[in-house]
Amino acid sequence: MISNPFLQAFNTPFASVPFSRIKDEHYEPAIRALIEEARQEIAAITDDSRTPDFTNTIVALEKAGKKLGIASAVFFNLNSAETNDSLEETAQIVSPLLAAHSNDIMLNEALFERVKYVADHTDMAVLDPEDVRLLDKTYKGFIRNGALLGAAEKERIRDIDGELSVLGVQFARNVLHETNAYTLHITDREDLQGLPESAIQAAADEAAGRDLEGWVFTLQAPSLMAFLKYADNRALRQQIHFAAGSRAFGDNEYNNEENIRKITALRQERAQLLGFANHADFVLQERMAGSQKKVTSFLQELLDRAKPFAETEIQELATLAAKDDIKQLMPWDHAYYAEKLREAKYAFSEEELKPYFPLNQVLQAAFDAAGRLYGLRFALREDIERYHPEVNVYEIFEEGEHKALLYTDFHPRKGKRPGAWMTSWRGQYRDEAQHIRPHISIVCNFSRPAGDQPSLLTFTEVTTLFHEFGHALHGILADTKYESLSGTNVYWDFVELPSQFMENYCYEKDFLTGFARHYQTGEPLPDEKIDKIVQSAHFMQGYQTLRQVGFGLLDMAYHTGGLPQGDSIPGFEAAVMGATKLYPDVSGTAVSPSFSHIFAGGYAAG
C-alpha cells in the first residue's frame, strides 16, 4: 500500500504541508479514512457514560476531526489555487462525502442530546467568554443544521446538502474553464494602439507561452483590465468585454444557468425546512446586520445617495467619449474613458504609477507596517515546501518567537480561479500541551513580470494586496483557545474590518512616501503624484458604489424570493438591478453565471 502523507505526522518545519509528498490520488482515500477516524472520535463522545459537561462534550467535539480538517483545507485550497482535471474530479467525490459527514454530526441525536444537556445545565458564570461563545455557537450550530427536525426532514436536509456541495464545485469549475478558454489573439500591431508597453510585453509573453505569433490577451484580471482600460480599438474592447460578461452563459456544457436555478431552489427549501422564510433570513440570523429588512434598507439608502453622483460621473465620461464621435457610451467604454478622465482631472494614470510599485517593494511595505503596528517580523524560508515555484513562504516572528507561516501566491495561472483571497492551511488554537500557530495564505492574480521588468502593480493591485494582507493579519495574530473561534472565524460582515483598516494605509501620504520608489532609479514617487492619489481616492466612487449595490441587491433577490421558474436570468437581473444600471444591457451577457462569491464562495446573502 502506498504511504499516504495525510495519515501520518508531516514531520516538517512547524508541521507545514509536505506538498512534494502529496499526490492527487492521496486525497480521496485520506479523506475517507479521516472521516472514519472522526466518526470514532464522535462515537467516543456519545458513548461516554459520564454526565455531559463542557469539557467532555463541547471541548471534545471541538477537538474531533482535526486531521480531517487539515486534509480538507489542503485539498480545497489547492483546488482553488492550483487545480487540474484530477482535483476537479476528486472534488465532485469528496464534497458530498464531507457534507454527509457534517450531517452525520449535526443530525446525531445522541450527540445533540449531550450538547443540549450542557447548554441547559451549565452555569455560564463558571465559563470564560471564549467558553461561552463556543457553547453558544455549538448549540446553535446543531439547531441551524436540523437537529430539531423530524426524521423525514433530516433526511431531506442530508440530500440537499449533498446536492449543494456538488453544485458549488461545478459552478466554480465552469467559471474557471470559461476564464481559461478565451483568448484574444492579435497579430496586427495597429490593434495594440493605446496600450502601454508593459501590457504589450505581457501579451507577447503570453503568446510565446502558447507558441503563437503576436500577442495574446486573456480574461485573467491583469490582461483583461489593461486591454479595457487602454486599448484604442473599440471593437476589440467590445469583443473581450463580451467574453468576460458571457462566461458560463454560453450554449455549451459549462453554462451555469441550471446550476443557479438548482442552488437557489435548494437553499430556499433548506431554509424553509429549518423554519425560515428564505435563505437570506437563515444566513442573516448569524450576521451583524441581523435581518433582511435592515440589509435591504441599507442597500436602498446607498442606492439613493450614490445614484446622483454616479449619473454625473457617467455624463462626464459620455462628454469625453462624444469627442471621439461616440454617441452611446457602452460598458466596454467605461474603463477606457474613466482612465482618460482620471488623467484629465488628476494629471496621472495608473500606468505611469506602476514603476513605483514593484510587487516585492509593496509586499515589504506591508510587512513593515505590520512590524510597526504589531511588532511582527517576516523572514523568507527557503526550506519550507511550496505547492508551486511562484509561491513564497515566510516565517513570522513576534519578539523573537515563532508566530505563524505566511504563503504568498501572486500571479494568474491556468489552475487558479480569478480574484484575490486569504485562506489558511491550519488554524490557530491552544490545547493542554501546546499552542498551535496558524499557517496562512494570500492568493492573488496580479500582473506578472514582463520581459526584464519585475511585477509592477497598478494602484488598484496595491490596495488589493493590503486588503488581503489585512485578512492575513487577522489570522496571523489570532490567539484563542478554540480553532472554530480563531482568526477570521467571526461574523462575515465583520470579517472585512481588518482588511479595510490596512487598505486605508494606501491613501496615507506619509506611508506612500516611505515605500513608493521607482524600480529602476530608486527615485521616490513625486509628492504631487502622491497628492493626486490621495485626492483621487473617491474618483468614480458613485459608479463603484452603485455597482456594488447592484451586486448586493441581486444577491438578496436570489436568496429571498428566488429566481421565478419562467424568468430568464438576464430578465431577472434587469428587474432587480435596473435602478443601479447606468449602461445599456448587452444581449448574451449576464452577471449571475460567473457570480462565484454567492454561488461557489460562501457569501450567499452576504
Side-chain angles (χ1 to χ4, degrees), residues 538-559:
H538 302 296
F539 176 66
M540 298 302 295
Q541 282 303 298
Y543 168 82
Q544 292 294 346
T545 300
L546 214 60
R547 182 172 179 269
Q548 291 300 119
V549 167
F551 292 151
L553 290 171
L554 184 62
D555 174 23
M556 293 302 291
Y558 273 122
H559 296 112

Side-chain angles (χ1 to χ4, degrees), residues 504-513 530 534:
N504 285 338
Y505 274 87
C506 300
Y507 295 96
E508 291 293 328
K509 183 174 181 178
D510 289 346
F511 184 68
L512 282 172
T513 301
I530 293 178
V534 175

